[in-house]
Amino acid sequence: MRERFLTGYNDFVLPFSLGLIFIISYCVVGMIRILHQLPAEDRKRFFISLVTPATMWKNIKDIFLKCLIHVDIWKRNKLLGYMHSSIAFGWFMLIVVGHIEVFLYTPHRVKLFYYPIFFRYFVAETESTMRGSLIFFLMDLFLLIVLSGIALAIIKRVRSVMFGMRRTTNPSFFDLVGQYSLWAIFPLRLLAEAFTADISGGSFLTKSLNYVFTSFLSNHANMLPAWWAYSCALGIFFFVLPFTRYMHIPTEILLIPMRNAGIKIRNARKGFAKAEVYSCPSCGLCIDACPMGVMKANIKDTTVYLNRQIRRRNEARIEEISDKCLLCGKCTAICPVGVEGDKLRIAQRSIRKYNLNPDYSNIPADASGIEFAAHEVTAPSGRAREKILYFAGCMTALTPVISKAMESILKKAGADYAFMDRDGGICCGRPMFMSGRFDAARMLVEKNTEIIKASGADVLLLSCPICYKIFREKYHLDGIRIIHHTEYIAGLIADGILKPSSDDTKYVYHDPCELGRGCGVYEAPREVIKSVGTLVEAQKNRKESICCGGSLGSLTLGFDKRRAMTENALANLVTESPDIIVTACPLCRSTFNRYSDRPVEDIAETIDRKITKTVKS
Amino acid sequence: MIYQGKQKIWSEYQKEIPDDHWFYVRSCIRQNFFPGAERMFLEICRNVLKKDFYETEHHTTCGGIAYHCDTIPQETVMTIVARQFALMTEAGYENYVASCITSFGNYAEILETWREFPELETKIREMLWKACRREFKKPKYLAHASDLIYKYRNEIASRAKYRLVNRETGEPLKVVEHIGCHYSKMFPSKGVGGAEYPYVLCGMVEAWGGNVVDYPERRHCCGYGFRQYHVKANRGYSLSNTYKKFESMEPYHPDMIITNCPGCPYFMDRWQYVIAESTGKTYGKDGFGIPVFTYEEVAGLVLGYDPWDLGLQLHQVAVEPLLNKIGIEYNPEDKYKGLNKKDILKPGLPAVLKCC
Amino acid sequence: MDFGFKISPSSAINLDKIDLTMFEKLHEMEPDVYKCIACGSCSATCPAARYSGMSMRKVILDLQRGREKEVFSMMKNCMLCGKCTMVCPRGINTRHLILSISKLYCETK
Amino acid sequence: MKENILIIGGGIAGLEAAAMLLRLGHSPIIIEKSDRLGGHVASWHKLFPDMTPAKDVVDRLTAEASGANIFLNTEISFVNKLTDSYNIMLSNGISIITKVILVTMGFSLFDAAKKEEYGYGVYDHVVTNRDLEQWFNGKDDPRIDNSAMNAVGFVHCVGSRDEKAKNSQCSKVCCITAVKQAIEVKQKFPDASVYCFYMDLRMFGKKFEDFYISAQRDYGIRFIRGRVSEVSENIEGRVVVKAEDTLSGKPLKVTLDLLVLMAGMVCGDSCTKVAGMIPLPVDSDGFLKSKDNIFDVMESPKEGIFYAGACTGPKTVPETLAEARAAALDIHLYINGLE
């Protein structure tokens, strides 16, 4: 290879260079700001994690797998995964191989950052160059891969269903500019390199195209305009980048190590929340995932739009979007970059100002009514004999069939149990927490903690997943085990204390949001159901389970608006024609029961019905 | 207000009142409150109109206050009333007229009860016989003394020396009429004009030249209410009721109030002083109050009796501004002179309410 | 002068004198607030009721009757559990209503 | 020979029954005491729950019954019972001999002036539901200010469910009529506060509850549970209404520009009069007594005499029409049985 120009410079590199300088400075400033906004302890933790070998390795692995290969998207849809990784990884490789070229052939130009990008313009092929034909081939190959990705992206704009997406995001103006410039970069690069291929050399793609071009575009006059266009496309892309969804590319590189450092959202708009918002690629996967999106409703209230509105600081819409959400957490579960739609919304809710604030100081934390061993305790010694404090929760009070079944199960198990809220209790605090009123929630947590500790219980048993989540996350009960009744029943069956009879009834299990996605309990209820009949799965299940629509998470959704959501969730449950729908949440149970065409049961009811023999020690 | 509408209702509540020969029973408390009133009633009926009104010193309380205070059972009050009727029967009268509204209501209620439950009447007759060996006939006609003044209103008007008219402007006086609760609220058909728009006092005011003021709280109780006033702890409640009434009539700037019950004029008169002392508020012009009269006092005034003979010096609210307005002649010097011009001593003056 | 008794303030509600500007504002935010039929389901199910006498039915009524003080003391113990919303036969989102009231009405005013 | 069928009363029940009888091949005679057909509905403006113009209903019924022999301004002078028929002498001198009589004399509106405490006929701004309908129909009323209204109240159950008013029965349609009229008032005066004072809201019919919800939510009509105890007039001539707000357990007072009394239904005056002539028994509720209150509501205890509509008790328009049709069918079968 020899250089064609002594200066190693042409004016056309300017758009690209300016763009690159701009975007790099923008990103550096942005990064410093985000890090600065973190609370001091989080910042410290972040820097320590950067030098800790384990997290360091995890960061590199995550960035490679997520940002370049997009493994999560591959898992969802192969075509969509290929589209993303072809562009990201292909482009990345073009840059890497481009730099290798510079290193190999013009090492003295390494310090010119535009050189690898426009390498082919500045060099001419020599005899010895042929030794690098592999590199030439690689460059053309990756360019082809990227181009195939771009082609898919264009097809996706027209037919998103092919990519497993029913609905996509409505792009903003800057998004469109960014998108078109991105799409233009690589065809223009191909064009520019093709025009130069007879001088600078090339491989199967550029060389072949060069032959085609020379047959009707004989001179090199087209060369410079093509390189200009290529550089301009890059420049435009870099300049608009901060205002487009493509900002997610640099932000995600920051988000991944922050998340790996264990940082959580502490502020609605700053720090980690900001990193999450800017990491949103506007892919729109959350639109399809959102349970509110039945009948094309509420599309603009999904997480992708929340992120967009937060970036635009449209307070009215932020409030509307964050208050409407059911907080089912599905968008979080499926988000390829890990934007936590539910937590982000709770954070937005937490900055509301209220004139009236709760005060529970007059509520006595009274544990005197809790009496263990009020019934005959027959369970064998050990775990089964622990003192179990059963907290039914507010929602269970409206579905007393569950607490009744639970009491019956406890009796059949011969357990030593007591009810904490038989005559009404203090709310667990989760609904208050979900409304963003953390201080009030904390007061409730304290009241209940006091009661539970005073009761002398060994185990706190819950049948409401809403309670369960906050008990697991926010309560510190000094060694008192917190357990959901699905797990408790599974344990009793596994230990042989309960022996339910089995028949050929077909059950489908609905994963309640707070139990599944919220607490990661997926297996216990399934094990329990398998012990009494045939378990079939809903079309979408486990972490993709569809919210029943009854959730307390939503502050504004009216009763009438929820019906379609419930019916959609029901339709998802009955694809395998189950006889009975089983769930493990009082709220899901009563919500489904309203519109279901077949019986809806809590798992406790199912099991209680199927145990006829009681175990005596 | 559609006057014809009221007239239509008045026409539906007419009551037959015989012209003459009445057995008259006095009120327990009026003697102390406004002693001139009952005297004036008999004076007008007997001496001015030359009617036969019989009175006996043997009659007692009707038992109404005790009955309404829940201190005596129904049988007791009925037996007391039966004795009164026996006195009437023994005197050879069959028209019974009560000076007191509570009594009037009490008699009406008992007669109605006996009509509905004749066995109760039989029982009372037995009890009366056992108690004092008396027998009675039920009165043929029962009236309240104001019914009679209402009946004689035009006759009184024809003999009147003054009219309820502002002497200077010639405008009719604005008169608030206040009916005792037990007059017709219990049995609308027993009162002249019914319960909603009783006509008994309206008729007098209209006949004597005044204009009746219709204000929102016209139906409201004066505030007396036996159980309210008699128990000191409840007295604030009694006062509040009166206050409510005055607040309601205040925008109409009434010149005077005419009443037909023993308690009403007393409480509406005295509470004006208490309201003035506790809130600093007075309802008449220039710090005076609104004078409250019984219908007999008003009748006496228009007939030209001397205000001090009517006992108007016993009113807390000064009557002089009104007397001046009508143009009634009186001697201010004589206000606190009793019979034979004996000095009965001037009372202390209130701090807020202006008095003469 | 102290008579040992005094005029007691009227306990009557005078709709003419009640300033409903706040309630109108609330109504704009929560149009369903007018749908209440005072059935009392919300009050019956409320876990805070036994501590502060909290009753959504009374809250809605009292705000329209200018009795805001009573509302504040009732709402103090609300835990936002959402049971009232679940049982409301008229589908009123009482839970959000509580938040709106907490936002709009000011105790110190 | 064709049987004479005499329909007494040219309200909607009479008209609908006549139309049905015409279609069944009979030639009914309608006598109507006033100078126009349609009864109470003819003086109404719109009908719940769809705001159907009352005029449309009456026009359609009148057109359908036009084949009948109709005597307007005619009353019954006296009735002679013959062996198997009745000789009816009319006020216009005509006498009719008939075996079949259909009584469709309907109801009278309770005389709101009897509830003296509400001051109908005494206060300047107190009207009844019927006055308001006529005002809606464009008839000027000095009691109703056409230009502006700040506050309007409706008193439910005036003369209904009231033993003092000698009518302990529910008049059934006033609740929904009040809701309808309140909405209409609110439509005319969107800034006015509109109050309904009720004891119970009886929204029993099709779409009534929806109508009520709409009145609450869409029109902001305030429903106050408490019977109005007394009405007075203040110095400006506005109406002061007192009631207990039973839901807060406090007495309540409000000043209004217009008070509308929802006068209930009592058995029609002429109905009672004619019932006395035939004679027909009157039930404990003051309305005509049917042979049976479940199976034979449209039959009187007397052979050949049938009822339809509100003469046997308060009814809505569709209920009245349904009864009229049923009565016509009963009559048709009865006449077939005679032959």
Side-chain angles (χ1 to χ4, degrees), chain A residues 269-476:
Chain A
R269 302 286 162 81
K270 292 176 179 170
F272 193 65
K274 191 169 192 170
E276 284 200 352
V277 167
Y278 279 86
S279 294
C280 171
S282 270
C283 65
L285 282 175
C286 49
I287 299 178
D288 278 346
C290 184
M292 301 197 301
V294 192
M295 311 285 288
K296 294 190 174 166
N298 308 314
I299 287 176
K300 297 262 176 174
D301 298 312
T302 45
T303 305
V304 49
Y305 287 99
L306 173 68
N307 294 331
R308 186 182 286 182
Q309 300 301 350
I310 291 177
R311 285 177 67 170
R312 290 181 186 171
R313 296 193 178 83
N314 182 344
E315 293 300 330
R317 285 286 293 134
I318 294 171
E319 175 164 342
E320 189 186 350
I321 296 173
S322 45
D323 282 4
K324 195 185 264 186
C325 174
L326 293 158
L327 300 185
C328 74
K330 191 167 169 186
C331 52
T332 307
I334 56 101
C335 181
V337 298
V339 175
E340 298 163 300
D342 49 348
K343 288 184 181 143
L344 211 48
R345 283 178 172 88
I346 293 178
Q348 306 311 313
R349 293 175 184 185
S350 73
I351 54 174
R352 305 278 148 71
K353 291 276 175 289
Y354 294 99
N355 291 320
L356 295 180
N357 290 301
D359 173 13
Y360 307 119
S361 51
N362 63 318
I363 300 180
D366 181 14
S368 60
I370 300 171
E371 271 179 58
F372 288 98
H375 304 270
E376 195 191 354
V377 180
T378 56
S381 58
R383 212 170 71 170
R385 273 197 97 97
E386 286 175 326
K387 283 190 203 150
I388 296 168
L389 183 62
Y390 177 60
F391 182 73
C394 300
M395 289 302 133
T396 312
L398 293 176
T399 45
V401 66
I402 298 175
S403 48
K404 233 180 111 189
M406 272 316 292
E407 182 163 25
S408 167
I409 289 173
L410 286 161
K411 272 187 188 156
K412 284 171 184 170
D416 183 2
Y417 72 93
F419 267 58
M420 181 167 153
D421 58 346
R422 201 193 282 275
D423 303 318
I426 300 166
C427 176
C428 63
R430 176 72 181 155
M432 194 57 104
F433 187 87
M434 289 199 285
S435 74
R437 307 185 78 178
F438 302 147
D439 291 339
R442 210 163 294 131
M443 286 191 266
L444 291 170
V445 167
E446 281 163 16
K447 285 276 172 203
N448 275 319
T449 305
E450 213 177 308
I451 296 174
I452 296 164
K453 280 186 182 167
S455 73
D458 302 312
V459 177
L460 179 70
L461 176 63
L462 303 157
S463 48
C464 175
I466 306 167
C467 307
Y468 186 48
K469 185 166 165 75
I470 196 164
F471 271 104
R472 285 216 333 191
E473 291 178 357
K474 306 281 173 206
Y475 281 68
H476 303 287

Side-chain angles (χ1 to χ4, degrees), chain B residues 229-277:
Chain B
Y229 178 74
H230 289 167
V231 180
K232 190 176 175 188
N234 294 344
R235 222 164 269 172
Y237 180 75
S238 167
L239 177 66
S240 307
N241 274 285
T242 314
Y243 177 67
K244 187 173 183 174
K245 243 185 127 61
F246 277 101
E247 285 294 302
S248 176
M249 70 174 80
E250 186 191 12
Y252 297 83
H253 305 297
D255 294 305
M256 60 183 281
I257 299 170
I258 179 171
T259 63
N260 73 342
C261 175
C264 307
Y266 188 74
F267 282 90
M268 291 174 80
D269 181 60
R270 302 299 199 267
W271 280 153
Q272 284 193 64
Y273 152 71
V274 177
I275 292 169
E277 290 290 329

